[in-house]
Amino acid sequence: MATRQQTHVDSDRLIYTCPHCDSDVEVHEGQLGEIIDCPNPECGRPFEVPAPDARLASRQPGEAGTRNVLKAGNAADIEHDIVVRHPAMFRNHPFTFTLVLLLILAGAAGAAILAGEAPLLAIGSGIAAIFGIGVMAVWYIQVLYRSLIVTNKRTIYRQGILARRTNEVQHDDVRNIQVNQGIFDRLFGVGRIAISSSGQDDMEIDVKGIPHPDGIAETIRKYQ
């Protein structure tokens, strides 16, 4: 076990140094003898805070203000992502996805085959392929900028590229979780999940085409 710097500042305030990131962490007496997670967001690794077996050395005058002191908390006090999902492309719209993909392939093949025999048709096929690629690219970007994030504290839905909209519901406030899946949704493992909080009549988060919505609902219930 790595050695930890321990500094007694006053009668009920102990400061331990995280052995992983060297951050000063304030620890309450009730946490002595336990394993805590470092509250530094860039670290978050666990370490033990053993009870001191000797009188702790005090800092020299003026030294206490030279470093940032963080307050220790339980692992649950530090918010971290549990699940991050984006709406599916193929599984959410399999027929549209297949149609656009065929347009790209057929257009590219037609442009290559007709290039020497029918230049105008080759140009038309190339334009069709480019159009299909453009549709697929825009669709992908839209999906990429729509994300459902479940942390250990809340569920967040973000959407938008230039103008961004964010809805969130704290797990403690969740009143209703709805999961809807049609026949094809169940076949492809996607569905709609909607979440509302106490005191709200409308669903504050409503997302379609999310992979494995049942698993997301179970995760939210686990942290309620």
Side-chain angles (χ1 to χ4, degrees), residues 41-95:
E42 297 180 357
C43 178
R45 298 172 65 183
F47 67 91
E48 185 181 0
V49 286
D53 55 4
R55 186 174 183 272
L56 298 175
S58 300
R59 291 185 184 271
Q60 296 299 322
E63 185 181 352
T66 62
R67 301 183 61 178
N68 183 32
V69 177
L70 306 172
K71 286 185 176 294
N74 298 323
D77 294 334
I78 303 174
E79 185 174 22
H80 56 276
D81 295 347
I82 306 296
V83 178
V84 178
R85 296 271 171 83
H86 303 276
M89 292 180 63
F90 171 73
R91 288 186 290 172
N92 192 24
H93 299 284
F95 301 110

Side-chain angles (χ1 to χ4, degrees), residues 171-222:
H171 293 328
D172 293 340
D173 294 333
V174 171
R175 183 192 65 176
N176 187 20
I177 303 176
Q178 294 181 0
V179 175
N180 295 322
Q181 290 180 291
I183 296 176
F184 287 105
D185 291 335
R186 290 179 62 84
L187 180 64
F188 289 103
V190 296
R192 168 181 171 264
I193 183 168
I195 306 168
S196 68
S197 63
S198 302
Q200 297 292 329
D201 295 329
D202 298 330
M203 292 296 182
E204 294 169 80
I205 294 178
D206 193 344
V207 195
K208 297 179 181 179
I210 288 292
H212 309 297
D214 285 330
I216 293 176
E218 288 299 323
T219 301
I220 295 172
R221 295 187 185 103
K222 176 182 177 181

Side-chain angles (χ1 to χ4, degrees), residues 93-112:
H93 299 284
F95 301 110
T96 303
F97 186 94
T98 302
L99 182 63
V100 175
L101 184 61
L102 288 176
L103 178 64
I104 295 171
L105 296 176

Side-chain angles (χ1 to χ4, degrees), residues 137-201:
V138 171
W139 187 3
Y140 175 78
I141 292 173
Q142 289 177 338
V143 166
L144 187 64
Y145 282 88
R146 294 175 61 198
S147 57
L148 183 68
I149 305 168
V150 180
T151 75
N152 57 323
K153 294 180 178 294
R154 54 184 173 158
T155 302
I156 309 164
Y157 178 53
R158 296 193 180 106
Q159 59 179 327
I161 301 174
L162 298 178
R164 172 163 292 188
R165 177 183 176 187
T166 301
N167 291 353
E168 65 179 67
V169 176
Q170 298 288 331
H171 293 328
D172 293 340
D173 294 333
V174 171
R175 183 192 65 176
N176 187 20
I177 303 176
Q178 294 181 0
V179 175
N180 295 322
Q181 290 180 291
I183 296 176
F184 287 105
D185 291 335
R186 290 179 62 84
L187 180 64
F188 289 103
V190 296
R192 168 181 171 264
I193 183 168
I195 306 168
S196 68
S197 63
S198 302
Q200 297 292 329
D201 295 329

